[in-house]
mmCIF file of all heavy atoms in Angstrom:
data_model
loop_
_atom_site.group_PDB
_atom_site.id
_atom_site.type_symbol
_atom_site.label_atom_id
_atom_site.label_comp_id
_atom_site.label_asym_id
_atom_site.label_seq_id
_atom_site.Cartn_x
_atom_site.Cartn_y
_atom_site.Cartn_z
ATOM 1 N N ALA A 21 119.654 46.000 111.355
ATOM 2 C CA ALA A 21 118.205 45.792 111.392
ATOM 3 C C ALA A 21 117.693 45.284 110.051
ATOM 4 O O ALA A 21 118.067 45.796 108.989
ATOM 5 C CB ALA A 21 117.507 47.091 111.765
ATOM 6 N N LYS A 24 113.529 48.174 110.149
ATOM 7 C CA LYS A 24 114.240 49.321 110.744
ATOM 8 C C LYS A 24 113.401 50.151 111.711
ATOM 9 O O LYS A 24 112.177 50.259 111.566
ATOM 10 C CB LYS A 24 114.691 50.290 109.630
ATOM 11 C CG LYS A 24 115.363 49.662 108.447
ATOM 12 C CD LYS A 24 116.791 49.322 108.747
ATOM 13 C CE LYS A 24 117.531 48.884 107.495
ATOM 14 N NZ LYS A 24 118.848 48.332 107.820
ATOM 15 N N TYR A 25 114.144 50.783 112.595
ATOM 16 C CA TYR A 25 113.613 51.793 113.525
ATOM 17 C C TYR A 25 113.961 53.162 112.947
ATOM 18 O O TYR A 25 115.137 53.456 112.718
ATOM 19 C CB TYR A 25 114.281 51.542 114.872
ATOM 20 C CG TYR A 25 114.542 52.725 115.777
ATOM 21 C CD1 TYR A 25 113.511 53.586 116.170
ATOM 22 C CD2 TYR A 25 115.820 52.943 116.288
ATOM 23 C CE1 TYR A 25 113.784 54.642 117.046
ATOM 24 C CE2 TYR A 25 116.088 53.987 117.160
ATOM 25 C CZ TYR A 25 115.061 54.846 117.525
ATOM 26 O OH TYR A 25 115.326 55.874 118.378
ATOM 27 N N TRP A 26 112.971 53.967 112.662
ATOM 28 C CA TRP A 26 113.260 55.331 112.184
ATOM 29 C C TRP A 26 112.126 56.248 112.636
ATOM 30 O O TRP A 26 111.030 56.172 112.113
ATOM 31 C CB TRP A 26 113.424 55.364 110.651
ATOM 32 C CG TRP A 26 114.113 56.613 110.173
ATOM 33 C CD1 TRP A 26 113.573 57.584 109.369
ATOM 34 C CD2 TRP A 26 115.455 57.039 110.463
ATOM 35 N NE1 TRP A 26 114.489 58.584 109.146
ATOM 36 C CE2 TRP A 26 115.662 58.269 109.821
ATOM 37 C CE3 TRP A 26 116.504 56.503 111.225
ATOM 38 C CZ2 TRP A 26 116.865 58.964 109.907
ATOM 39 C CZ3 TRP A 26 117.689 57.190 111.308
ATOM 40 C CH2 TRP A 26 117.858 58.405 110.648
ATOM 41 N N SER A 114 126.741 53.146 117.955
ATOM 42 C CA SER A 114 126.062 53.591 119.171
ATOM 43 C C SER A 114 125.302 52.422 119.812
ATOM 44 O O SER A 114 125.114 52.391 121.020
ATOM 45 C CB SER A 114 125.115 54.755 118.883
ATOM 46 O OG SER A 114 124.107 54.349 118.007
ATOM 47 N N SER A 146 120.645 54.806 123.184
ATOM 48 C CA SER A 146 120.506 54.774 121.728
ATOM 49 C C SER A 146 119.469 53.701 121.456
ATOM 50 O O SER A 146 119.630 52.562 121.933
ATOM 51 C CB SER A 146 121.856 54.386 121.103
ATOM 52 O OG SER A 146 121.720 54.195 119.724
ATOM 53 N N GLY A 147 118.415 54.050 120.728
ATOM 54 C CA GLY A 147 117.302 53.109 120.569
ATOM 55 C C GLY A 147 117.756 51.719 120.160
ATOM 56 O O GLY A 147 117.420 50.713 120.812
ATOM 57 N N SER A 148 118.558 51.654 119.095
ATOM 58 C CA SER A 148 118.937 50.349 118.551
ATOM 59 C C SER A 148 119.797 49.552 119.532
ATOM 60 O O SER A 148 119.956 48.344 119.372
ATOM 61 C CB SER A 148 119.664 50.514 117.220
ATOM 62 O OG SER A 148 120.786 51.362 117.375
ATOM 63 N N ARG A 151 118.533 46.323 121.147
ATOM 64 C CA ARG A 151 118.554 45.062 120.404
ATOM 65 C C ARG A 151 119.909 44.368 120.494
ATOM 66 O O ARG A 151 120.051 43.240 120.022
ATOM 67 C CB ARG A 151 118.177 45.295 118.934
ATOM 68 C CG ARG A 151 116.760 45.826 118.706
ATOM 69 C CD ARG A 151 116.441 45.856 117.198
ATOM 70 N NE ARG A 151 117.532 46.485 116.483
ATOM 71 C CZ ARG A 151 117.433 47.555 115.702
ATOM 72 N NH1 ARG A 151 116.258 48.112 115.482
ATOM 73 N NH2 ARG A 151 118.499 48.040 115.107
ATOM 74 N N SER A 198 121.968 59.629 113.776
ATOM 75 C CA SER A 198 120.615 59.069 113.796
ATOM 76 C C SER A 198 119.692 59.837 114.744
ATOM 77 O O SER A 198 118.510 60.014 114.426
ATOM 78 C CB SER A 198 120.625 57.613 114.238
ATOM 79 O OG SER A 198 121.687 56.933 113.720
ATOM 80 N N SER A 199 120.209 60.288 115.899
ATOM 81 C CA SER A 199 119.324 60.977 116.851
ATOM 82 C C SER A 199 118.653 62.170 116.176
ATOM 83 O O SER A 199 117.453 62.415 116.353
ATOM 84 C CB SER A 199 120.096 61.458 118.077
ATOM 85 O OG SER A 199 120.615 60.363 118.766
ATOM 86 N N HIS A 202 116.098 60.890 113.416
ATOM 87 C CA HIS A 202 114.786 60.434 113.918
ATOM 88 C C HIS A 202 113.811 61.618 114.013
ATOM 89 O O HIS A 202 112.613 61.474 113.763
ATOM 90 C CB HIS A 202 114.922 59.788 115.297
ATOM 91 C CG HIS A 202 115.629 58.461 115.271
ATOM 92 N ND1 HIS A 202 115.130 57.361 114.609
ATOM 93 C CD2 HIS A 202 116.798 58.057 115.821
ATOM 94 C CE1 HIS A 202 115.964 56.342 114.755
ATOM 95 N NE2 HIS A 202 116.988 56.747 115.482
ATOM 96 N N MET A 248 112.748 53.028 104.401
ATOM 97 C CA MET A 248 113.391 53.969 105.327
ATOM 98 C C MET A 248 114.189 55.017 104.556
ATOM 99 O O MET A 248 114.133 56.219 104.863
ATOM 100 C CB MET A 248 114.315 53.238 106.303
ATOM 101 C CG MET A 248 114.971 54.202 107.293
ATOM 102 S SD MET A 248 116.087 53.404 108.458
ATOM 103 C CE MET A 248 117.499 53.067 107.404
ATOM 104 N N ASP A 288 121.872 50.951 106.773
ATOM 105 C CA ASP A 288 121.484 51.784 107.907
ATOM 106 C C ASP A 288 121.723 53.251 107.531
ATOM 107 O O ASP A 288 121.754 53.574 106.360
ATOM 108 C CB ASP A 288 122.251 51.361 109.159
ATOM 109 C CG ASP A 288 121.495 50.261 109.922
ATOM 110 O OD1 ASP A 288 120.352 49.965 109.551
ATOM 111 O OD2 ASP A 288 122.042 49.732 110.879
ATOM 112 N N ALA A 289 121.935 54.107 108.522
ATOM 113 C CA ALA A 289 122.135 55.528 108.216
ATOM 114 C C ALA A 289 123.597 55.764 107.836
ATOM 115 O O ALA A 289 124.366 56.374 108.580
ATOM 116 C CB ALA A 289 121.740 56.365 109.422
HETATM 117 O O1 PMV B 401 119.711 53.761 117.595
HETATM 118 P P1 PMV B 401 119.884 54.894 116.668
HETATM 119 O O2 PMV B 401 119.313 56.170 117.224
HETATM 120 O O3 PMV B 401 121.329 55.029 116.244
HETATM 121 O O4 PMV B 401 119.049 54.607 115.344
HETATM 122 C C1 PMV B 401 119.331 53.551 114.465
HETATM 123 C C2 PMV B 401 118.612 53.736 113.199
HETATM 124 C C3 PMV B 401 118.972 52.771 112.084
HETATM 125 O O5 PMV B 401 120.235 52.171 112.294
HETATM 126 C C4 PMV B 401 119.036 53.541 110.783
HETATM 127 C C5 PMV B 401 117.909 51.686 111.934
HETATM 128 C C6 PMV B 401 117.907 50.592 112.973
HETATM 129 O O6 PMV B 401 116.823 50.094 113.260
HETATM 130 O O7 PMV B 401 118.976 50.204 113.470
#
Side-chain angles (χ1 to χ4, degrees):
K24 313 282 189 190
Y25 148 55
W26 197 244
S114 63
S146 173
S148 56
R151 297 187 312 238
S198 321
S199 297
H202 290 297
M248 181 181 75
D288 271 352

